[in-house]
Amino acid sequence: MLNISDKEFKQLADFIKANYGIYLKDEKQTLLTGRLSNVLEEKNFTSFADYFNYIVADKTGDAVVTLIDKITTNHTFFMREVDHFNFYRDKVLPQLASHSKTKDLRTWSAGCSSGEEPYTLAMIIDEFFGMDKKWWDTKILATDISTKVLDIALKGVYTSERIATIPANWKLNYFEKLEKEKSVLISKIRNEVIYRKFNLMDKTFPFKKKFHVIFCRNVMIYFDNQTKMDLVKKFYDLMEPGGYLFIGHSESLNRNETEYKYILPSIYRKELQV
Ligand SMILES: C[S@@+](CC[C@H](N)C(=O)[O-])C[C@H]1O[C@@H](n2cnc3c(N)ncnc32)[C@H](O)[C@@H]1O
């Protein structure tokens, strides 16, 4: 495996932080070299400096796509941090549904990885509305910067092991069995999720309407505090009054730094009167 010098690491880490928000502390040198070593070997680079020059010069965008796929941590699973989903089902949906005049409900899964989070939400919504679902537009926007995970999410195909944690009736109602211990989500659920490639560090957020709910869980743990709080401010501005923000269980927002009201650990709300 190629060694990375301190200067090369800093150059690459600065580039990654500036463009994708992901903050790699000095201790992450081994992790970074480990994740990128195959790429350097395949391209016959003999130093990280050469690799960096290639990334910056590449006009096709392919080099950056590969870099992002390598550096992002995409760990996720169905029903992850299940109390969030219970809160969404038991408090958020009844509240929003009873107040909605337009019968549309906009949920964004920001940093959706391979789809388990938005699909869990889609199944909850389907179950919640039941026969009335046809009167509602409850499509979920799901975004990530990694092309690799978005490709998986779009297919909606998961191994039996990955769907082991979901309730038996969901497996029955929402999945079709494929060969080789795999299952695919039925189109009724797949069609409820709109996947887009989107970098949360982009200057402009091109969304026409505000969201009622934003899930951005286990994404901002890779950002430094300033980057995180700038993003949380954008979420706040993009949220309907009364809307909810869910962040990961291991994350929190400093109450003095955000306009969001604390509801429960890792659940925040934009107050109705703002
Ligand atoms: C650990 S996964 C979390 C998935 C899911 N939200 C969950 O909690 O299970 C983090 C995801 O955030 C994405 N991500 C990291 N930085 C991002 C950025 N700047 N813009 C958009 N997505 C980003 C990664 O590609 C990765 O798929």
Side-chain angles (χ1 to χ4, degrees):
M1 195 163 77
L2 269 180
N3 280 330
I4 190 164
S5 70
D6 289 350
K7 190 176 161 214
E8 287 170 327
F9 177 76
K10 186 173 175 341
Q11 193 176 40
L12 205 48
D14 286 351
F15 175 83
I16 290 169
K17 180 163 182 299
N19 290 287
Y20 314 112
I22 298 166
Y23 172 46
L24 298 165
K25 293 189 190 138
D26 289 345
E27 311 74 283
K28 300 284 181 184
Q29 288 209 7
T30 320
L31 179 98
L32 189 71
T33 46
R35 286 191 178 183
L36 291 174
S37 62
N38 283 351
V39 183
L40 269 80
E41 263 168 42
E42 267 166 34
K43 301 264 173 207
N44 293 319
F45 289 119
T46 51
S47 74
F48 275 89
D50 288 349
Y51 173 61
F52 180 75
N53 292 337
Y54 153 74
I55 291 172
V56 180
D58 177 52
K59 294 275 181 283
T60 64
D62 293 349
V64 158
V65 167
T66 308
L67 174 70
I68 293 168
D69 286 345
K70 293 286 176 188
I71 58 165
T72 50
T73 302
N74 313 113
H75 177 65
T76 187
F77 48 94
F78 283 101
M79 325 284 289
R80 183 181 194 180
E81 300 174 356
V82 71
D83 52 319
H84 283 163
F85 293 114
N86 294 341
F87 186 85
Y88 182 78
R89 180 195 62 204
D90 299 337
K91 294 275 185 284
V92 179
L93 286 179
Q95 210 169 62
L96 294 173
S98 64
H99 287 99
S100 175
K101 295 192 178 78
T102 46
K103 291 206 183 305
D104 73 337
L105 202 160
R106 295 179 294 277
T107 302
W108 178 16
S109 164
C112 62
S113 190
S114 37
E116 287 84 341
E117 179 178 277
Y119 285 140
T120 301
L121 292 167
M123 290 186 278
I124 290 173
I125 291 174
D126 190 77
E127 209 170 58
F128 177 82
F129 285 101
M131 299 294 276
D132 288 341
K133 175 71 187 64
K134 58 180 177 297
W135 307 112
W136 285 80
D137 181 0
T138 55
K139 288 211 169 51
I140 296 159
L141 173 69
T143 63
D144 205 285
I145 33 164
S146 166
T147 315
K148 183 184 67 188
V149 287
L150 286 172
D151 286 346
I152 299 173
L154 263 174
K155 291 192 183 94
V157 174
Y158 300 94
T159 60
S160 307
E161 207 184 331
R162 289 195 73 81
I163 61 169
T165 49
I166 70 169
N169 65 322
W170 281 14
K171 279 186 216 167
L172 212 63
N173 294 340
Y174 298 130
F175 285 86
E176 277 162 15
K177 279 209 160 34
L178 300 173
E179 50 181 7
K180 293 188 188 150
E181 292 287 297
K182 287 186 179 161
S183 299
V184 62
L185 270 153
I186 57 170
S187 58
K188 179 182 164 196
I189 296 297
R190 271 188 288 129
N191 293 341
E192 285 298 306
V193 184
I194 300 165
Y195 288 104
R196 292 282 180 272
K197 187 169 171 167
F198 179 67
N199 181 357
L200 291 163
M201 294 301 112
D202 278 3
K203 291 264 173 310
T204 44
F205 281 30
F207 308 117
K208 287 192 196 92
K209 290 186 173 174
K210 292 189 173 179
F211 296 95
H212 298 100
V213 182
I214 299 176
F215 276 71
C216 186
R217 307 184 309 159
N218 308 300
V219 179
M220 296 187 287
I221 35 172
Y222 304 105
F223 302 166
D224 66 10
N225 192 54
Q226 189 57 53
T227 310
K228 172 172 118 179
M229 293 319 296
D230 290 347
L231 180 58
V232 167
K233 172 80 179 100
K234 284 189 171 169
F235 286 154
Y236 187 86
D237 293 341
L238 268 174
M239 186 167 270
E240 294 284 0
Y244 287 89
L245 171 69
F246 293 78
I247 61 177
H249 272 177
S250 64
E251 306 168 70
S252 63
L253 303 180
N254 183 337
R255 295 178 202 198
N256 301 322
E257 288 182 88
T258 180
E259 292 162 274
Y260 274 114
K261 186 174 169 240
Y262 171 88
I263 301 292
L264 281 172
S266 58
I267 306 179
Y268 295 84
R269 190 174 193 206
K270 179 169 177 169
E271 292 194 80
L272 269 172
Q273 310 293 336
V274 283

